[in-house]
Each structure stands twice: as structure tokens, then as C-alpha cells.
Amino acid sequence: EDPKSAKDTFSFYHTADFQFGNPRGAVAQISSDLANMESWAEQHNVAFYAICGDITTHGAPDDLQFFNEQFDALKRPVYRIFGGHDALVEMERPKMGNWVDAFGPYAYAWNYGSVHFIALVSEGYLSEAEKERQMRWWRRDMADLPAGVPIVLLAHTPDQISAEIRTAVDTHNVAAFLFGHWHTHHNFDVDGVPFVVSSPMRPSDWGAFTKRTRVMTFAKGKLSSKSRVLEQEKRVAVLQP
């Protein structure tokens, strides 16, 4: 239990798509990126990190465990959200098996402040039984909430659960949907609900403004976002009259 979580105003970190092809071969880069994240998190008193999927390229057990070790070394909790690349290696077992072994549940929820966060699998890597189980749990979880509680939904992409998201927006107080996948930095509204996507953490997507991350702040019932490109410690603003 975190006593600070009783505050109604708080910040958390949103990013996605580490997706290094060989993370153990990029230890220096990843360590530098995580140190940059920690520095910004300290500046903004961030409560936790939410990483919206594609943490690895193939979901190999060794790669998942590598990031487990990296995330566990950070000062704040890291909520891992599943992305399709995290289950490409099946190894003669259920597709989600490596994820569950490394990170635990692939659908789960937590509370911070007055907000309820729900992490979901949004791509076609669940069996039919797993999809139905996730939906039963998701409906029951929201039904158990007191009326009006702000909900933040997190997944790798909204596409394949768009109908379910629409139902949640129509029936509950959905404050935002956070995701990754598209390797871009963007946000848009759906019926007044912000949908927020963050750029990839890997540095190889040259046209996508990579390693651009967000600090999300919840205050007075609304989320706001502040962005930063990692490794930009100093900036110069040139103003022309």
C-alpha cells in the first residue's frame, strides 16, 4: 500500500514499445533511457510507470526476463501492459505463457488516488476462452466500482476492442484510453474521452520522433499530458518577433 495514493492529484509516466531486437546487446542504451525516465519522474514526483505494450520484439523468455530485471530496479512500480510482439514466440505452449511466467496476469486492475486503472489485452493473441474470461472479468470489475469513479483504460491499441471500449465509455466514467503500437505521438478525443498514444522507446524509428514520452497528471477529474524526448537535457528556444 502506498499512503501517497490517497491524493486526488498525482502524476504517472506513460510510454510504450521498447521493442529492441536484442535488448541484452543494447544494455547501455536501455540503461541510459531508463535513467532519463527516472530523472524526469523525480522532477514531476511520478507515482508509477505504465508501459503500453510491445516491451519486447518476439516475447522470448530471456528478453521478457531481461526487462523484468530492468523494471524491478526502478524506484517506482512498473505496470506492464501486453502488446502483440510480446507473444510471437510460442515455443509449443499457449501464446500468453511466456508473458504470464515473466510478468504475471495479462489483464488486471489497480487503484491510485481516486482513479481505477484497467490493463487489457487488445490484440488477437488470446484463445477464445481467454477472450471470454477477460471480458467477464472486465465487466465484473467495472460493475463493482462505485458510481462515477474515473477509469483509465490501458492496452496496446484500441482497434480490436473498440466496441467494448465504446460500451465502457457509454456506461462508466472513462477518463482516458492510453496506448502505443502506432509508433507516433498523438492524441484525439472520442466523445470527449482522450485517446493518448506515445512514441516508441526504441531509437530506430527515425520518422516517428522516437523516445518521446509523457508524464500524465490527474487533477480535478481530468488528465493532462506533458511530453519530453529522452536525452534532451537542455533546450534552446529561439523566438522571432
Side-chain angles (χ1 to χ4, degrees):
E1 184 175 353
D2 180 357
K4 292 181 293 186
S5 72
K7 298 188 300 184
D8 286 336
T9 298
F10 63 91
S11 297
F12 63 95
Y13 208 109
H14 170 222
T15 187
D17 296 87
F18 277 79
Q19 208 171 338
F20 281 81
N22 175 22
R24 292 189 184 274
V27 172
Q29 179 67 67
I30 294 169
S31 296
S32 174
D33 291 344
L34 293 176
N36 268 253
M37 285 173 55
E38 285 275 60
S39 173
W40 206 31
E42 289 284 350
Q43 293 176 40
H44 293 274
N45 196 26
V46 165
F48 58 83
Y49 298 98
I51 302 176
C52 287
D54 281 5
I55 294 170
T56 65
T57 298
H58 302 105
D62 189 54
D63 291 348
L64 291 166
Q65 187 55 42
F66 169 82
F67 278 106
N68 229 3
E69 295 164 0
Q70 299 296 312
F71 296 155
D72 283 347
L74 297 176
K75 297 178 182 178
R76 294 159 177 80
V78 178
Y79 292 99
R80 292 91 151 151
I81 291 92
F82 175 82
H85 274 273
D86 298 315
L88 293 182
V89 175
E90 296 182 42
M91 300 183 69
E92 300 180 358
R93 57 181 308 183
K95 291 183 178 180
M96 303 301 295
N98 294 332
W99 175 276
V100 171
D101 285 350
F103 294 154
Y106 49 78
Y108 59 95
W110 73 97
N111 294 328
Y112 202 93
S114 59
V115 183
H116 188 67
F117 295 83
I118 304 177
L120 299 161
V121 175
S122 60
E123 297 171 282
Y125 290 85
L126 300 180
S127 67
E128 290 304 314
E130 288 170 332
K131 289 178 186 176
E132 179 55 32
R133 182 185 182 200
Q134 174 174 262
M135 285 308 307
R136 286 199 310 269
W137 168 79
W138 184 7
R139 294 189 193 105
R140 178 61 184 271
D141 181 68
M142 291 193 299
D144 285 344
L145 293 174
V149 169
I151 298 171
V152 173
L153 302 175
L154 306 98
H156 189 52
T157 177
D159 300 30
Q160 295 186 27
I161 57 171
S162 58
E164 292 82 357
I165 295 170
R166 167 67 65 178
T167 297
V169 168
D170 290 343
T171 58
H172 289 76
N173 180 20
V174 176
F177 183 91
L178 308 184
F179 61 111
H181 181 66
W182 295 102
H183 293 212
T184 187
H185 208 74
H186 190 45
N187 60 272
F188 55 91
D189 278 9
V190 177
D191 292 342
V193 176
F195 279 56
V196 182
V197 57
S198 283
S199 293
M201 281 292 293
R202 70 180 185 183
S204 56
D205 293 37
W206 301 114
F209 211 168
T210 57
K211 298 201 293 184
R212 188 175 182 183
T213 59
R214 299 180 188 266
V215 166
M216 309 291 298
T217 298
F218 190 87
K220 298 181 179 179
K222 299 291 184 180
L223 275 176
S224 60
S225 171
K226 180 178 289 188
S227 297
R228 172 179 169 177
V229 180
L230 297 186
E231 297 181 347
Q232 287 191 3
E233 297 299 330
K234 297 180 179 180
R235 301 185 183 188
V236 175
V238 180
L239 305 180
Q240 179 177 345

